[in-house]
Structures are given as structure tokens and as C-alpha cells.
Amino acid sequence: CWEVRKHNSSEWCRFIRSNPDCRLDGGFLNYLEGVFCTFPPRLLPLAVTLYALWLLYLFVILGVTAEKLVGRHPMSLREGVFSLTSPLHGVTFLAFGNGAPDVFSAVVAFSNPRTAGLAIGAVFGAGVFVTTVVAGGIALVKPFTAASRPFLRDVIFYMVAVFLTFLILYFGRITLGEALGECCWGWGVAAAAWGCCNPHWVPHPGYLGLYIFYVLTVVLCTWIHRWQRGDGPGPPGAWEPEMPMDAEEPESSGTNSGDYGEEYRPLLPSREPSLRILTTALSPLDCRKWRRKPWYWRLFKVLKVPVEMVLLLTVPVVDPDKDDLNWKRPLNCLHIVTSPLLCILTLKSGTYGLYQIQGVFPVWGLVTLVGSVLAIIIFITTSNEEPPKYHCVFAFLGFLASAMWINAAATELVNILRTLGIIFQLSNTVLGLTLLAWGNSIGDTFSDLTMARQGYPRMAFSACFGGIIFNILVGVGLGCLLQMTSSQLVVKLEPDSLLVWVLAGALGLSLVFSFVWVPAQCFQLGKAYGICLILYYLAFLCVALLTEFRVIRLSAV
């Protein structure tokens, strides 16, 4: 499909529509046809500008959804619905919330062999960016003493994950056992019969198996540390949300007037009508907060309001920190209709939702009908003041709905990046290590640097290495696993250029550098360490771009 620009501009549209390599899998918009068929050739700069703006807004959608709904979802909070212990929920639900854009982007990109390079570039590129620029920025902002055992544990696991990916790329394929994790001697003949491993091969954990082992290691190390202390819970780790993760204040919602002090608390309890509860709950703006904030915060808030409004309409949130668990009866009853409808219309870009049962009744109509009946029953059998006993079910529904929103936005993101790569003749790998990696990491960058300025540099630094372990293990493992079928248990994952090896080598060297430097300095990290990491990233970026434009290349033997 790259050859479209080599043809005459009058042939662009016909080439795009007739070439099967130009087909975009999934998504609601066909960006290739839009830029080469809808816009005339002389307006190509305008189309690229609009696509760039839409790309930026997709990053906003991903960030707002992950931050507001997944990252702070009750299943990822300290006292969540399931009362998970801090290390367990930190390396599972909280890691999913923080890494949801990266993981979904990788899964969507791996689903199509044409965009697999985008996923590899994003996973490696984000790893290099976070472990150099973000970690170095933390050391520059606030010199500190790193936590020794969590740092060594996370770096070792991350190096193992990078080495496993290096081997996968070297052999050019990934099997079911390498995606899930296998122990051939334990599974024996049954595993070999499924073709997931060789009985004579040395067992290895695989991506998802290695992540499970990492989770168990974190939990075990935390329990041992607390047992040695003998005085209850240990100090907060990188995965324990003991403080706000960004500079933004918690959003007020509904009738929770306690957020602004006693002067705003009503003297006598009163019962609000359902209509007022609904309108208040659907308001994404807070007038008191709006007046206190600077102009740039207001500008960014205006951009986020449409996203937040749609999320309020479609995603229920159970907040265990509130007395009423954020129960809004009219809004939650509306969610019974909108959330399943959202899931069915975003799954496979609405293919399942638009399917007509026996050619007569659409699936989305059936979902709307069943949801409306359930919503009426719940509205009649509950009250505005007290949440029902099954309120925790809304947490599952909200988690699923927010995941579907992120998946839909990630699909559009991957398609528009591939379109820009075709327009500018750039490989998917370089787009992944730059635009996709930067866009997915910008939220973590601001949150970690803000955390360091607030006096928590150890936690921010540990998050740089602990959080991206989830991204590479689950992103690559799950992305390749979803490509496999019962008849095809091997996925080809061949590097398309020298740039992939530059990426893998740069990430490995950055981890080895930190693994040697930090203990050598007795875990005292200062400005020298930060400057070295940032200079390393700039050098890596120059080498990567020179490799992409074939200034650096391997000579043919």
C-alpha cells in the first residue's frame, strides 16, 4: 500500500480500493479512503492536519477513560469492592488501569500482521522512554534514595521480558506455550498433543506465565517484608495508590457536598427528586472548581467535557470511598441500557450489534429492550437514598464498558497511525516508538513527575519500572494469543527492519545501565544519573531515525 504515492494522483483512489493491502481491519472510519478519495489531492495537507488533530484527541480519549474510569475504578482502589490487598490489586487492576492504553493499542496492532510493527515499536519505544526520560526526569526534579529490593526485582523481571521478546523476534514466531507459559515436563504428552510445546525442550514461563509469576513474587515479597517488620502493613510501594496520581484534584460528583467543607454541608438531610439527581450526576463541570483554575486548565477541560459526558452516560462507577458508594438510582438505571448497548456496538466495530436475528430484529434492539425492562425493575425496587445489595455488579459493568471504550479508541488510533505512515512513507515501527509511545506515556510522565515534586520520588521511580512490566508481558502475550486459533497455534512475528533490533538493543542497554549504575551509587540517585538517561534517549532517538531513513544500514554480505 506504500506505493500509492508513487502513482498519479488521479489513480490514488482506485489503487486504495483495489489493493487488499490497503484494507483497514476494524474501526468505524476508513482513513485511507478518506484522505485519498474524499479529499482532492491539492487538499492533502488539510486532510493530514485534520488527522493529526483527531490523533491528539484520541490520545485525550484514551487518557481520560483510563484515568477517570479504569485507573480509579473500585477494583483498582485500595479499599475496593473485593477488598484486595495492596500488592495484589496494585499489580493487577491498578496496573491494568495505568497501562490500559498501551495494552489495548498493542493488542489491536498485533491483531493484524500489517500493524504488528506498530505494536513492537510502541512496546519497546514506551519502555525506553519511561525508563530513561521519565526516570531521569524524576532524578532531576528530586534526588532521592531508591528502594533497593523493589527496584532490583522489577528491573530483573523486565530484563527477562525483554530477553524473551528478543528471542521471539530472533526465531520469528511465537507459539501458544510462549504466549501463555509452559512447563513441558509438567504437562507431558497432553501439552505436546496440543502442539504448544516440545517434550524435549527446556520449560519456560512465557509472557502471561511470567506475569503471573511476577504478581506472586510481589505479593510474597510484601508479605515477607511485613512479617519481618512485625508492625502491620509495610511502606507503600509503587503499586499502592496512597496518594493522588496527578496534580488534578478529585472531581466532585452529585450531592457529595462534603468535598468543599462543612460550610457546604446541608443542615438537615433532604430527599432529592430523581430528575435533579440525574442532572447533577451528568454534569462534568464544577463551578467552584472552574473559578479557581487557570486558563490552560479550563481550555483542556473544555476538550475533555464531551468525552467525560459520554463516559458519564455509559459507564457506571462504584466509589467505595463515598457513603452511598456513588449510587445514583436514575443514572445507574440508565446505565443498565447504555452500557450493554455500548459493548455490543463497539465489539468488532458494531458488526455484532447490527446483526439482524433471522433477518428481522437487530441485536442492538434486543439488547435495548432487555436492558429497558431490567432498568424499570431496578428503578421500582430500589430507592435514591440506599444502594441495593447487588450494587457491586455495576462495578463489573463499568469495568467492561470502560475497557470497550479504550479498545474502540485504540483501534481508531492504530488505523490512523497506519494511514499517516502510508502518507509519509514511514514504517509502523518508527510510528510506534515515537507517536504511539509518546502519546500513551504522556499521562504517566506527568503523574510521575508530579508525584516526585510532591515528595514521593521513590514511588514515582519504582512505577517507571514496575508499571511497564505489565505492558510488555500482557500486551505482547495477549495480543499474540488472540491471533491464535485451534488450527493455527503459531504466530509469525518477524522483524521488518533493522530498526526493531535497534529498539530491542536500546531498551536492553538502558536496563543494564540502570541495573549497574543504581547499586553502584548505593541507590543514591541524583542529577548526574538523570542527565545520563536523558542524553541516552536523545542518542537512541537519533540512531533510530537515522536507521529509519536508511542513513544507518547493514551492508549486504
Side-chain angles (χ1 to χ4, degrees), residues 4-37:
V4 62
R5 297 292 302 275
K6 298 179 181 179
H7 290 72
N8 195 326
S9 59
S10 61
E11 300 177 356
W12 285 356
C13 185
R14 183 179 59 83
F15 181 87
I16 289 294
R17 289 175 175 173
S18 60
N19 192 343
D21 189 59
C22 297
R23 184 171 56 89
L24 298 178
D25 293 339
F28 295 94
L29 300 175
N30 193 324
Y31 297 102
L32 284 173
E33 287 194 9
V35 70
F36 290 112
C37 297

Side-chain angles (χ1 to χ4, degrees), residues 103-118:
V103 171
F104 276 96
S105 299
V107 169
V108 171
F110 273 123
S111 64
N112 186 349
R114 302 185 188 95
T115 56
L118 195 64

Side-chain angles (χ1 to χ4, degrees), residues 258-426:
D259 295 338
Y260 298 96
E262 294 294 334
E263 63 270 21
Y264 295 109
R265 190 184 301 274
L267 297 177
L268 296 176
S270 59
R271 293 186 175 182
E272 289 187 291
S274 298
L275 183 59
R276 183 179 178 184
I277 294 176
L278 180 62
T279 55
T280 305
L282 287 177
S283 175
L285 288 175
D286 186 280
C287 296
R288 288 183 288 263
K289 188 174 182 180
W290 177 270
R291 288 193 294 264
R292 298 198 308 266
K293 292 296 182 178
W295 66 269
Y296 54 85
W297 183 93
R298 299 182 185 182
L299 178 62
F300 188 58
K301 185 67 175 179
V302 170
L303 296 177
K304 295 195 301 181
V305 161
V307 183
E308 294 177 344
M309 188 68 184
V310 173
L311 294 176
L312 286 173
L313 281 169
T314 56
V315 184
V317 177
V318 180
D319 191 348
D321 293 331
K322 295 183 178 180
D323 295 336
D324 59 354
L325 303 179
N326 200 40
W327 167 250
K328 312 295 181 185
R329 185 178 66 149
L331 181 59
N332 289 142
C333 291
L334 182 63
H335 287 151
I336 296 296
V337 180
T338 58
S339 294
L341 196 59
L342 162 73
C343 295
I344 198 66
L345 289 178
T346 55
L347 188 63
K348 290 291 183 180
S349 303
T351 303
Y352 296 141
L354 298 178
Y355 176 77
Q356 292 188 346
I357 303 174
Q358 295 183 350
V360 178
F361 199 70
V363 173
W364 67 264
L366 178 62
V367 172
T368 303
L369 182 62
V370 174
S372 301
V373 173
L374 291 177
I376 293 174
I377 295 175
I378 293 175
F379 188 84
I380 294 174
T381 58
T382 57
S383 63
N384 292 334
E385 291 75 24
E386 185 178 356
K389 295 181 180 180
Y390 51 83
H391 190 210
C392 61
V393 176
F394 286 87
F396 287 99
L397 186 61
F399 192 80
L400 179 61
S402 56
M404 295 303 296
W405 267 122
I406 293 178
N407 180 68
T411 302
E412 300 298 323
L413 186 66
V414 169
N415 286 341
I416 197 172
L417 283 175
R418 184 176 175 229
T419 302
L420 293 176
I422 293 173
I423 294 173
F424 294 107
Q425 302 290 291
L426 296 174

